[in-house]
Amino acid sequence: QVQLVESGGGLVQPGGSLRLSCAASGIIFSRNNMGWYRQGPGKERELVATITSGGSTSYADSVQGRFTISRDNAKNTVYLQMNSLKPEDTAVYYCNASRIVLGRTSNYWGQGTQVTVSS
């Protein structure tokens, strides 16, 4: 059974920092591309950052330079370091694992963790 468990969300003031973690089980973590997505109030889910199985990263323009995605294959965990947080970063943040094997895509989601940026 695949599980992605996010943690690290909470309430933070504008300009503050948070570090999200996503612990994976039930998958070959090192072979999966990992991503963080978010869904703000009244908005659609959007891509925040991704890291491939090989370690290449990409970011949404809105978080470039403020957020950093990383992974620890020994711990089956992906992280999202979020600095200089803004109120518009308020959202539920979801972890995603994806992999293509023999032309078939597997795609798994965590349950989400709330991040609220407010003074």
Side-chain angles (χ1 to χ4, degrees), residues 13-29:
Q13 292 187 342
S17 298
L18 281 176
R19 188 195 196 201
L20 305 183
S21 300
C22 171
S25 60
I27 59 173
I28 304 175
F29 181 80

Side-chain angles (χ1 to χ4, degrees), residues 21-22 27 30 35 38 40 44 48-49 52 55 78 82 86 96 111-112:
S21 300
C22 171
I27 59 173
S30 62
R38 68 186 181 187
E44 294 188 352
V48 176
T52 68
V78 62
M82 305 186 294
K86 304 175 181 180
N96 173 265
Q111 81 289 348

Side-chain angles (χ1 to χ4, degrees), residues 68-99:
T68 302
I69 188 171
S70 61
R71 65 191 296 160
D72 185 336
N73 289 341
K75 296 182 178 180
N76 287 359
T77 301
V78 62
Y79 304 97
L80 185 68
Q81 178 66 45
M82 305 186 294
N83 298 329
S84 302
L85 282 160
K86 304 175 181 180
E88 51 263 43
D89 294 318
T90 295
V92 178
Y93 283 71
Y94 297 92
C95 176
N96 173 265
S98 65
R99 183 185 175 194

Side-chain angles (χ1 to χ4, degrees), residues 24-46:
S25 60
I27 59 173
I28 304 175
F29 181 80
S30 62
R31 298 182 185 178
N32 275 261
N33 299 323
M34 302 299 297
W36 286 97
Y37 291 72
R38 68 186 181 187
Q39 187 165 14
K43 298 181 180 179
E44 294 188 352
R45 190 173 297 190
E46 63 176 357

Side-chain angles (χ1 to χ4, degrees), residues 12 37 60-61:
V12 63
Y37 291 72
D61 289 345

